[in-house]
Amino acid sequence: MITVDERGSITSIEAASPDERLPETHPGAVFLPGLVDTHVHYPQTRVKGSASGPLLDWLKATVFPEEAKFADDDYAAAVALEFSAAMIAQGTTTASIYGSPHPAATDILFATLARLGLRAQLGLTLMDRGAPPENLLAAGPALAACEGLIERWHGHDDDRLRFCVTPRFALSCTPQLLRGAADLACAHGLSLQTHLAENDAELRATAAAFPDAADYLEVYESHGLVGERSLFAHCIHLSERNWDRLAERRACVAHCPDSNFFLGSGVMPLQAATSRGVRVGLGTDVGAGRTFSLRRVAARAYDAALLRGAPVTPEALLWLATRGGAEALGLDDRIGLLEPGFDADLCAVDLPTSSRRDPFDALLFNLDAGPVRATYVRGRRLLVDA
Ligand code: GUN
Ligand code: ZN
């Protein structure tokens, strides 16, 4: 029995007596801390699983045309609901989200998350070059739009929603926009997210676009984008020295193995991060990721770790999908543990009785078993209306 106070914090966890009258029960279910998706793209919901990779080809053929559709507010609103519903259905309670390059569509997603009760950090996806004109917004108006979104949403509902500065990646931002993004994050004390070292062709193009930088990470360092509130997705093609620098600056990593397999990007060396104490969470990276299920992503992370010759346990993977994600998002004082004092963000998962002997294996690796029965944030069950 989990009891929750009026603010949604857990007050106790104990066995219920047989005659207890409980407001909600899930007989036979296993309760997990809510899953934390540290990297997901809202405007790619409808192109999830489109096989047009590798990365730069996929962005051009699939992503940019789809993201351009978010200029239409009705389209954006319909997808915002689908996106939120898909996360709730998989037991995700918190996400770090790339919004649309369009301020109105990003505002619509904020409003949808606010209404449905999910916890998130979310940013306008900043891009002022490297894509068709309908996907771009110049640095001045883009940063002004961020200020408006910060004003409207950052800290909403006792900090359930936060704004996160989101330069897409080095190739889609001019130096002026990268610098402006860093200044914005600094001025408001905000988190920042971007992509780093995902794909070979991307690395070559980045080196050509930023000839003064010794490597990809230095592009971000030299524009003031690397610090303890920075979250870098992918991090596949980094040197040992790069990993040292990420650790020294206390930056965080979103590990997105399903996406990395689907786009043929490579295998992130998880151990390079964990052995240095770099905070790591798991990311679905929908739509290069083929699923909103972080349990499936954890299964891919297991495969990836084996390929790297450094196996991980299912317990460690479940930790990454929950507590690790909370740490990477700087929310570990509130979520990621089912303990008194923490917010009651959790999910109830059906687990067949035949799986009870090895529940961690069954939860993560039996891909056919155990649907999510209910998802809660601050003790409130998340339900999607029409
Ligand atoms: N790099 C820049 N944009 C993207 C994106 O949308 N998805 C992935 N996987 N990598 C990116
Ligand atoms: Zn991504």
Side-chain angles (χ1 to χ4, degrees), residues 5-6 104 168 199-200 204 233 238 274 297 300 308 319 328:
D5 68 16
E6 68 288 347
R168 179 173 214 124
N199 161 286
D200 283 329
R204 287 194 295 276
L238 294 177
T274 52
V297 170
R300 301 284 175 258
R308 278 273 174 180
W319 190 94

Side-chain angles (χ1 to χ4, degrees), residues 276-292:
R276 289 171 171 84
V278 172
R279 290 166 291 167
V280 183
L282 296 182
T284 60
D285 195 22
V286 163
R290 293 161 288 192
T291 177
F292 279 97

Side-chain angles (χ1 to χ4, degrees), residues 53-264:
L55 173 67
L56 299 180
D57 303 311
W58 170 77
L59 286 173
K60 198 167 165 200
T62 298
V63 172
F64 294 150
E66 175 64 16
E67 293 193 357
K69 297 180 187 167
F70 287 71
D72 174 345
D73 293 356
D74 291 337
Y75 190 82
V79 179
L81 201 58
E82 284 170 28
F83 171 76
S84 305
M87 291 197 291
I88 294 167
Q90 297 299 342
T92 297
T93 51
T94 298
S96 186
I97 305 169
Y98 284 58
S100 165
H102 307 90
T106 304
D107 186 75
I108 286 167
L109 180 59
F110 263 119
T112 305
L113 298 167
R115 185 165 57 81
L116 294 182
L118 281 154
R119 190 188 297 273
Q121 61 174 23
L122 160 62
L124 182 74
T125 295
L126 299 172
M127 39 197 313
D128 67 347
R129 66 166 168 175
E134 57 273 23
N135 294 85
L136 304 180
L137 193 55
L143 295 169
C146 289
E147 294 278 3
L149 290 165
I150 292 164
E151 171 80 17
R152 215 157 127 68
W153 294 111
H154 184 62
H156 178 82
D157 189 19
D158 191 20
D159 213 20
R160 180 164 59 80
L161 298 180
R162 292 181 176 178
F163 187 86
C164 178
V165 180
T166 307
R168 179 173 214 124
F169 66 160
L171 282 178
S172 59
C173 300
T174 57
Q176 180 202 1
L177 183 55
L178 289 178
R179 172 59 61 188
D183 291 347
L184 184 72
C186 183
H188 294 275
L190 301 173
S191 302
L192 186 146
Q193 59 184 347
T194 191
H195 298 85
L196 172 63
E198 178 175 1
N199 161 286
D200 283 329
E202 173 207 16
L203 258 71
R204 287 194 295 276
T206 306
F210 295 89
D212 294 340
D215 55 40
Y216 198 156
L217 181 58
E218 195 180 302
V219 174
Y220 293 143
E221 287 173 329
S222 63
H223 291 87
L225 293 160
V226 185
E228 63 181 334
R229 291 204 194 89
S230 307
L231 178 61
F232 295 103
H234 302 290
C235 298
I236 298 168
H237 308 284
L238 294 177
S239 66
E240 292 294 312
R241 186 64 201 120
N242 283 168
W243 281 105
D244 291 341
R245 272 151 52 200
L246 284 175
E248 282 156 19
R249 293 178 184 272
R250 305 205 63 246
C252 302
V253 168
H255 180 29
C256 307
D258 189 64
S259 159
N260 296 342
F261 284 123
F262 190 54
L263 293 183

Side-chain angles (χ1 to χ4, degrees), residues 322-334:
T322 54
R323 186 77 182 144
E327 287 186 352
L329 302 189
L331 291 169
D332 45 312
D333 58 334
R334 289 200 161 199

